[in-house]
């Protein structure tokens, strides 16, 4: 009999826990364990989980010492999964537990990794939609690894894939990219994501931007090359313009040219700042990697040896 491990990072999801667990019990047949990763919740999430654990020994919890972020919480859960089949999903019921049997079956059919793709998401704001579509178009232009839009962190995979994922020691985690980088025999399932049951999104604008930057800097060097190319092109143009200016000066037909000077300064300044900022991102990323800090700290384990 194979064990199925379901990993669910939760951050302030107190209202969702009970309903989620009811649904999970309904849809998980056979031998399974549900590992909640409490990512530094400040509400009653942990108390809700404790109530469930006291009634059902299939439920477990890993409580982190503070909020380490969704991606790190997923890593923490995966490092503690004992199953031969593993599922990662969100704790807000946007990833329907009713899909679990189908995903598990795909693994039995010989696939190593089952990814899910949202057809549409109910009640998603226009800003988030536009941001997401811009991000995915951008990252796919610059990245060598194809990262599909609408592929959620709702996946099923076997222990072979788990071992591969756990080998990634990078601090700036972008799991969506990593899952498509590793390869393996993959199957895709489409689903309609319902709206969040309770509470509101934990991905603020800032957190989304941070994830987008992680995705960009950890999957491609191309932005640096673009900066170099644009820089070279502008320098070349500036040189030609310099020659032109000198000739004009000696011919004596220079005019007081405030507009052209201010435009050149603003344009060059802007491009330079952009390129420096980009460099800064990569250097910051190197800095974080070099420090080698742990990805998460576990404060408490409930029902986990
Ligand atoms: N989450 C987390 N830590 C965080 C942010 C989010 O563990 O710092 C969890 C959250 O509780 C949820 C999942 O990650 O179970 C996805 O977050 P959310 O639903 O807010 O993202 P969205 O669906 O809006 O993209
Ligand atoms: Mg959600």
């Amino acid at each position: 009999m194979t064990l199925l491990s379901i990993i669910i990072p939760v951050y302030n999801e107190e209202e969702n826990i009970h309903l989620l667990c009811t649904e999970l019990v309904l849809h998980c047949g056979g031998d399974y364990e549900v590992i909640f990763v409490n990512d530094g919740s400040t509400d009653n999430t942990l108390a809700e989980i404790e109530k469930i654990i006291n009634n059902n020994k299939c439920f477990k919890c890993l409580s982190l010492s503070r909020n380490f972020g969704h991606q790190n919480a997923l890593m923490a859960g995966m490092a503690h999964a004992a199953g031969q089949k593993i599922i990662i999903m969100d704790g807000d019921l946007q990833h329907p537990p009713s899909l679990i049997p189908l995903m598990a079956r795909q693994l039995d059919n010989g696939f190593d990794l089952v990814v899910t793709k949202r057809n549409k998401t109910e009640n998603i704001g226009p800003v988030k939609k536009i941001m997401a579509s811009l991000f995915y178009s951008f990252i796919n232009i610059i990245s060598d690894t194809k990262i599909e839009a609408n592929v959620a962190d709702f996946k099923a995979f076997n222990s072979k894939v788990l071992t591969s994922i756990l080998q990634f020691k990078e601090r700036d985690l972008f799991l969506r990219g990593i899952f498509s980088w590793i390869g393996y025999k993959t199957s895709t399932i489409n689903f309609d994501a319902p709206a969040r049951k309770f509470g509101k999104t934990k991905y603020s604008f800032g957190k989304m931007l941070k994830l987008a930057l992680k995705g960009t800097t950890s999957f491609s060097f191309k932005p640096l090359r673009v900066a170099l190319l644009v820089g070279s092109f502008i320098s070349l143009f500036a040189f030609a313009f310099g020659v032109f200016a000198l000739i004009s000066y000696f011919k004596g037909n220079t005019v007081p040219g405030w507009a052209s000077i201010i435009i050149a300064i603003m344009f060059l300044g802007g491009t330079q700042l952009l390129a420096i900022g980009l460099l800064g991102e990569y250097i910051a990323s190197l800095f974080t990697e070099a420090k080698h800090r742990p990805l998460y700290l576990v404060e408490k384990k409930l029902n986990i040896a």
Side-chain angles (χ1 to χ4, degrees), residues 259-277:
S260 58
I261 287 172
I262 202 80
I263 289 171
I265 289 174
M266 300 272 268
F267 184 58
L268 283 174
T271 342
Q272 279 169 357
L273 280 179
L274 190 101
I276 293 170

Side-chain angles (χ1 to χ4, degrees), residues 27-149:
H27 294 287
C28 295
D31 212 4
Y32 70 93
E33 60 170 7
V34 175
I35 304 176
F36 281 109
V37 184
N38 174 33
D39 188 16
S41 299
T42 50
D43 64 357
N44 285 320
T45 301
L46 189 59
E48 287 293 318
I49 296 173
E50 273 170 349
K51 265 194 248 168
I52 305 280
I53 292 178
N54 290 336
N55 289 322
N56 189 335
K57 288 293 160 218
C58 291
F59 288 85
K60 303 170 181 195
C61 181
L62 210 60
S63 195
L64 306 185
S65 63
R66 63 167 171 86
N67 179 256
F68 282 90
H70 182 202
Q71 308 286 298
N72 296 31
L74 276 173
M75 272 313 231
M78 287 192 281
H80 288 80
Q84 292 78 43
K85 291 180 202 163
I86 299 98
I87 287 184
I88 54 173
M89 66 191 289
D90 287 359
D92 58 355
L93 289 151
Q94 284 196 292
H95 295 163
S98 54
L99 274 182
I100 292 176
L102 177 64
M103 292 165 84
R105 229 175 302 132
Q106 290 291 70
L107 293 180
D108 292 332
N109 289 344
F111 287 102
D112 297 306
L113 172 63
V114 183
V115 301
T116 62
K117 210 173 157 184
R118 292 184 296 254
N119 293 327
K120 61 174 193 319
T121 311
E122 302 288 347
N123 289 349
I124 180 174
V127 177
K128 188 160 184 163
K129 223 182 247 173
I130 294 170
M131 286 265 300
S133 96
L134 275 179
F135 168 65
Y136 282 105
S137 325
F138 174 67
I139 197 158
N140 278 310
I141 291 171
I142 60 156
S143 168
D144 303 322
T145 310
K146 176 144 179 56
I147 298 165
E148 266 194 273

Side-chain angles (χ1 to χ4, degrees), residues 210-230:
K210 222 165 126 185
L211 187 71
L213 272 174
K214 273 184 196 179
T216 309
T217 53
S218 64
F219 275 87
S220 176
F221 297 118
K222 273 187 206 162
L224 288 178
R225 272 176 219 148
V226 171
L228 184 72
L229 263 170
V230 172

